[in-house]
Amino acid sequence: MRWALILFLAAAVYVVPDAAPCLAHAKPSTDISRGPDVLDTGDSPDISHTAPDISHTSPDISDTGSRSAVSNISPTDISNIAAAGGASDVGVAVLDLDTGQAVSQHGDQPFYSASLSKLILAVDALQQPLSDDDQDLIHRALSVSDDNAMDVLWTRFDGMDAIGHVATAAGLTGTHAPEDPSQWGEVVITANDMVRLYQYILGSPVRDTIVAALSSATPTAADGFNQAFGLLGVTGAYAKQGWMYYLPSDVYLHSAGVLGNRYAVAVLTTSPTGSWTTARQSINAVSTALLAKLGVNG
């Protein structure tokens, strides 16, 4: 009977993608289908063209002597930036890695990580002795967001403990391991924690390996998902992307990275619409508004 209910719910979501949403951050029930990086199959085959173009060349913002662009973002500005996401829940944070200035909106709101947990696990794994196979798995998990690689790493490097290790070391106050040890896509994160994580990474011995892997990300992920949204593709930026469909209708899209070697940026979104197109439009609208304030495309 339970499996019949699961199949019914799954059918309802994919047949009626705009069905009424669940509470985006409620505790999941055992009958909810969940998992990271499901294929983007619910909308038109070329949905990247519907998103705002944020791939223009950005100015040089890495000059340590220049005034921080974070100073240009008022409380009203950051509120309006988050509001550009429309019906989506949005957490957005920016940290100037040179000055320490930061601004956020819903920066401490918890979100399921989807594939951003790969970045956290990689930080812990890279501080241990690694084989060539380990190194390759980490590179694939970060660059093309390979779920199979993450499955191996999660088990091999004790993902549940790894999340706690990194959270403690990096001072991540809202990040913790998932309730279900098998669901690494349900690691809990916040936008504020993601920018703090990048600050920690860039001051650690794992910096070069992680930056190299993220910088080699391709528009198409290992599972065929189009991960060219948010920060990915913006000149001078590298980022980790995350996506997840969570029944009955929540679509998670996250983009967290570093822009111009100066600003750590995190845009976390949950769209309640069940539509990948709408979710992409939402995160790209937030990203575009934020990048404009940081002097990109302005």
Side-chain angles (χ1 to χ4, degrees), residues 31-243:
D31 287 336
I32 291 178
S33 173
R34 59 208 179 190
D37 294 12
V38 296
L39 282 174
D40 186 355
T41 57
D43 298 301
S44 63
D46 188 13
I47 63 176
S48 62
H49 292 170
T50 66
D53 180 8
I54 60 173
S55 61
H56 302 299
T57 300
S58 67
D60 182 7
I61 58 176
S62 61
D63 180 4
T64 57
S66 64
R67 179 174 180 267
S68 175
V70 174
S71 301
N72 300 330
I73 305 176
S74 69
T76 299
D77 290 334
I78 195 67
S79 178
N80 289 339
I81 287 167
S88 293
D89 284 345
V90 176
V92 58
V94 184
L95 172 65
D96 187 325
L97 296 166
D98 289 345
T99 69
Q101 290 176 274
V103 64
S104 67
Q105 182 73 9
H106 306 306
D108 290 327
Q109 179 170 329
F111 288 80
Y112 284 145
S113 66
S115 281
L116 266 59
S117 59
K118 295 171 182 172
L119 179 61
I120 304 173
L121 179 63
V123 172
D124 188 65
L126 284 166
Q127 298 182 55
Q128 306 172 47
L130 298 176
S131 67
D132 290 344
D133 180 58
D134 295 331
Q135 293 276 5
D136 181 65
L137 290 169
I138 290 170
H139 185 85
R140 289 191 58 77
L142 296 181
S143 60
V144 293
S145 204
D146 190 324
D147 287 353
N148 293 328
M150 179 59 170
D151 288 341
V152 175
L153 293 167
W154 184 256
T155 300
R156 186 174 294 177
F157 291 98
D158 191 2
M160 292 292 284
D161 282 349
I163 301 302
H165 293 161
V166 176
T168 298
L172 312 182
T173 58
T175 296
H176 60 80
E179 292 185 9
D180 183 341
S182 70
Q183 298 299 324
W184 48 260
E186 292 179 10
V187 170
V188 174
I189 61 171
T190 69
N192 282 339
D193 277 359
M194 291 310 300
V195 296
R196 291 189 195 108
L197 178 64
Y198 275 109
Q199 183 179 42
Y200 174 78
I201 289 170
L202 295 179
S204 77
V206 306
R207 170 186 178 134
D208 290 349
T209 299
I210 287 181
V211 171
L214 294 178
S215 298
S216 63
T218 57
T220 302
D223 65 1
F225 192 90
N226 179 358
Q227 61 173 342
F229 58 84
L231 299 178
L232 195 65
V234 177
T235 300
Y238 52 85
K240 183 70 195 78
Q241 310 288 76
W243 54 94

